[in-house]
Amino acid sequence: MSQINVKVNCPSCQKSLINPEVKIDDLPSIEISAKISGKSGRVYLSQVYGSYQKIFVGVEDIPDTVVDCACPQCRKPFPVQKVCSCNAPVSTLNLEIGGRINFCTRNGCKHHSVEFENIDDAYLLFQQQHPSYYA
Ligand SMILES: [Zn+2]
Ligand SMILES: [Zn+2]
């Protein structure tokens, strides 16, 4: 029952990527400007850590394609700091409370979902969101 929600900001303009109008897992989603096979649109990811739910708007959900990810506000591509085991770039986003998360840009890769760069950040978030658990 204990879930961790990740709220993320653009590393370039620092604006929130959370879109309250598009809900995934009953929560505001993470909005990403995406280019897939030459088409531009939006991909919405779940802010629930470990959830694989996604919504594609204007782009096709093509398995195994690498998605070109950028900020919907400032349009800058998200920084890439490493390469996934599937050879696709791994993008980095900032967490609102500090720390970072990484996600693989290959659609359908099991690392496409959010992953904490530093596992301590996960504990911090968990403690913050479930204070009674530690009481
Ligand atoms: Zn931005
Ligand atoms: Zn991957």
Side-chain angles (χ1 to χ4, degrees):
M1 290 306 288
S2 300
Q3 69 182 31
I4 299 178
N5 302 334
V6 288
K7 300 227 167 74
V8 286
N9 290 343
C10 168
S12 298
C13 69
Q14 314 298 329
K15 290 204 177 99
S16 176
L17 298 173
I18 300 295
N19 185 334
E21 278 154 41
V22 179
K23 294 220 162 64
I24 300 181
D25 294 324
D26 291 326
L27 290 165
S29 60
I30 299 170
E31 182 178 4
I32 285 169
S33 180
K35 219 191 246 182
I36 302 176
S37 299
K39 279 192 196 157
S40 294
R42 293 276 195 271
V43 176
Y44 299 89
L45 307 174
S46 174
Q47 62 160 286
V48 176
Y49 182 63
S51 169
Y52 285 75
Q53 298 301 318
K54 281 182 285 184
I55 296 174
F56 293 79
V57 176
V59 283
E60 276 176 77
D61 179 359
I62 305 170
D64 296 331
T65 20
V66 173
V67 181
D68 248 322
C69 298
C71 172
Q73 321 265 359
C74 70
R75 316 234 155 234
K76 290 222 176 75
F78 296 135
V80 170
Q81 285 177 343
K82 59 174 181 172
V83 171
C84 181
S85 52
C86 74
N87 286 327
V90 174
S91 283
T92 301
L93 298 175
N94 285 3
L95 285 165
E96 267 176 19
I97 59 133
R100 287 167 169 186
I101 53 159
N102 300 321
F103 66 98
C104 178
T105 54
R106 187 183 300 280
N107 187 19
C109 176
K110 65 179 180 339
H111 299 297
H112 84 271
S113 194
V114 290
E115 166 200 81
F116 288 91
E117 195 172 275
N118 180 345
I119 196 69
D120 288 344
D121 294 334
Y123 289 125
L124 268 178
L125 268 183
F126 187 83
Q127 270 179 305
Q128 209 177 53
Q129 290 167 14
H130 305 277
S132 60
Y133 193 87
Y134 289 89

